[in-house]
Amino acid sequence: MKSQILEDLLTEIDDSLFFPFRGKTVVVTGATGLIGSLLCKAISLADHRLSLGCNLVAVVRNEEKAHSVFDRFLSFGNIHFSYFDLASGEKLKLARADYILHAAAVTKSKIMVQYPVDVIRTSLLGTESMLELAKSTNARMVYISSMEAYGTLPEGVIAGESALGWLDLSSPRSCYPESKRMCECLCNAYVSQYGTDVCIARLAQTFGAGVLPGENRAFMQFAQAAMRGENVVLKTRGLSEGNYVNSIDCVVALLMLMANGKVGETYNVANEESHGTIFEVAQLACDVLGDGHSRVVVDVDETNASGYAPDVHLRLSSNKLRGLGWQPKVSLSESFIQLGKYIEEQ
């Protein structure tokens, strides 16, 4: 998948953010997912341009998908695949790892509802495997968590990293946020017991250039419907609200955390200005990418067959991440514009 739009955006990232990885081995799980693939592509491209001598190990399950996702980046010769199933319960063993980004996770709501046990196993076993790798190689690790870990907070709260809300443990859908919490706890346990060098990134909803084929999350459905001149149909009332972050801004944040995040600390990765309800975000997609005829239609699925998360009112603070020098540059509307251009190019 070649994308000049994506490569141009990745090239605009400050070169100095890649210098800590000079001559290092960087291991990325979930490398064929959105976050993992973007980080791999950013480092691969920088290594190619700047001759950093970086070795990228992309942990994947599907060889065909991996070659499709990385395509021309493979010609740079700095991406190597490690075929491994993180849900197997086995430990991934590599001769060397200097940095680890653990981004592998089940992210489709429908699977969370249908196979909650599998979701939990993948989260816990995969995270334990990568923590063991970090421990054995003295690597620095960043664990990718989610804003869903906050659960339901009181309305009006601006959530710093120490906030923690309510989760319905009787709901199968809670397998995702609750397993994220447990994985965060496991990371901090490794810090405490073994001195493992790990920090945590809680990501807001991330999108923009670089989304992968088959992406079906809400932002993609909104963008595609608006670009076709169709109405955006919501299967919920669209009252849930949260934060968003642009895909390239997210990559910058992760590069900073891999290099300078404090051991045992958790960081929100969110653009405070990119905030709204699902309904408002859907309407923005219609306004930015539509032809003037698209609008938002609410057609609630009372059975929730797709497994949408319960309504939350989440407003995240990224003050701690800003303290490392991070500054989001791309607004929510600009993210939709980037996404639209990327979809057209692809």
Side-chain angles (χ1 to χ4, degrees):
M1 286 169 45
K2 175 174 171 55
S3 169
Q4 194 60 51
I5 290 172
L6 178 61
E7 290 189 26
D8 288 346
L9 290 169
L10 293 175
T11 302
E12 291 173 6
I13 295 175
D14 188 341
D15 288 349
S16 66
L17 293 177
F18 298 100
F19 293 160
F21 312 111
R22 188 186 299 275
K24 304 297 184 181
T25 294
V26 180
V27 180
V28 180
T29 71
T32 56
L34 174 61
I35 304 302
S37 67
L38 284 172
L39 189 86
C40 283
K41 289 175 180 178
I43 295 177
S44 174
L45 188 62
D47 176 78
H48 179 67
R49 291 189 300 106
L50 304 172
S51 301
L52 299 176
C54 183
N55 176 43
L56 273 165
V57 179
V59 181
V60 299
R61 287 184 300 173
N62 186 310
E63 181 176 3
E64 183 179 353
K65 183 177 181 181
H67 281 268
S68 173
V69 167
F70 291 105
D71 192 25
R72 92 173 204 92
F73 288 87
L74 298 179
S75 67
F76 298 158
N78 49 26
I79 298 178
H80 306 94
F81 296 130
S82 176
Y83 300 102
F84 185 76
D85 183 0
L86 288 165
S88 67
E90 298 179 3
K91 302 298 186 286
L92 176 62
K93 295 180 180 180
L94 297 173
R96 178 181 175 182
D98 298 297
Y99 294 91
I100 299 170
L101 182 85
H102 181 34
V106 176
T107 57
K108 293 182 179 179
S109 288
K110 195 168 185 177
I111 294 178
M112 295 172 195
V113 172
Q114 293 176 335
Y115 305 103
V117 174
D118 295 348
V119 171
I120 293 171
R121 282 178 176 158
T122 298
S123 292
L124 296 183
L125 295 176
T127 302
E128 182 186 16
S129 179
M130 298 315 297
L131 285 166
E132 282 292 320
L133 179 65
K135 177 184 161 202
S136 65
T137 59
N138 292 317
R140 176 169 182 74
M141 173 170 152
V142 175
Y143 171 67
I144 300 297
S145 188
S146 165
M147 65 180 183
E148 284 201 37
Y150 283 102
T152 302
L153 293 167
E155 195 167 353
V157 170
I158 299 177
E161 288 79 359
S162 62
L164 199 65
W166 175 80
L167 285 173
D168 180 4
L169 297 185
S170 68
S171 167
R173 177 61 176 72
S174 293
C175 65
Y176 178 73
E178 188 66 17
S179 64
K180 284 293 186 184
R181 286 183 178 184
M182 188 64 232
C183 288
E184 289 191 22
C185 185
L186 188 60
C187 287
N188 288 318
Y190 267 75
V191 172
S192 175
Q193 186 167 337
Y194 303 119
T196 309
D197 188 352
V198 57
C199 68
I200 296 161
R202 285 193 194 131
L203 304 191
Q205 183 74 261
T206 305
F207 75 95
V211 297
L212 300 168
E215 176 62 70
N216 197 41
R217 276 176 281 191
F219 65 81
M220 192 65 163
Q221 294 182 39
F222 299 164
Q224 290 176 323
M227 292 173 71
R228 291 193 298 262
E230 300 171 357
N231 291 334
V232 173
V233 180
L234 298 183
K235 291 300 182 179
T236 71
R237 292 175 177 81
L239 302 178
S240 191
E241 61 179 293
N243 284 95
Y244 297 80
V245 65
N246 175 264
S247 55
I248 307 302
D249 284 339
C250 181
V251 168
V252 170
L254 295 179
L255 291 170
M256 288 182 171
L257 290 178
M258 289 173 70
N260 298 312
K262 294 183 180 179
V263 179
E265 292 291 332
T266 301
Y267 297 85
N268 287 334
V269 181
N271 184 342
E272 291 107 330
E273 301 302 317
S274 295
H275 177 272
T277 66
I278 295 294
F279 188 96
E280 291 168 341
V281 173
Q283 186 59 60
L284 181 63
C286 290
D287 295 342
V288 171
L289 298 175
D291 59 1
H293 300 292
S294 300
R295 63 188 182 90
V296 182
V297 176
V298 175
D299 181 19
V300 177
D301 174 12
E302 299 293 352
T303 67
N304 193 18
S306 296
Y308 294 115
D311 289 345
V312 295
H313 302 281
L314 190 59
R315 187 179 288 272
L316 301 179
S317 167
S318 60
N319 283 343
K320 186 188 286 190
L321 183 58
R322 289 174 186 270
L324 296 180
W326 183 71
Q327 186 69 36
K329 297 180 179 180
V330 186
S331 69
L332 189 52
S333 60
E334 289 170 334
S335 291
F336 271 119
I337 292 171
Q338 276 187 12
L339 177 60
K341 290 179 178 178
Y342 179 80
I343 291 172
E344 287 181 341
E345 178 197 48
Q346 293 302 298

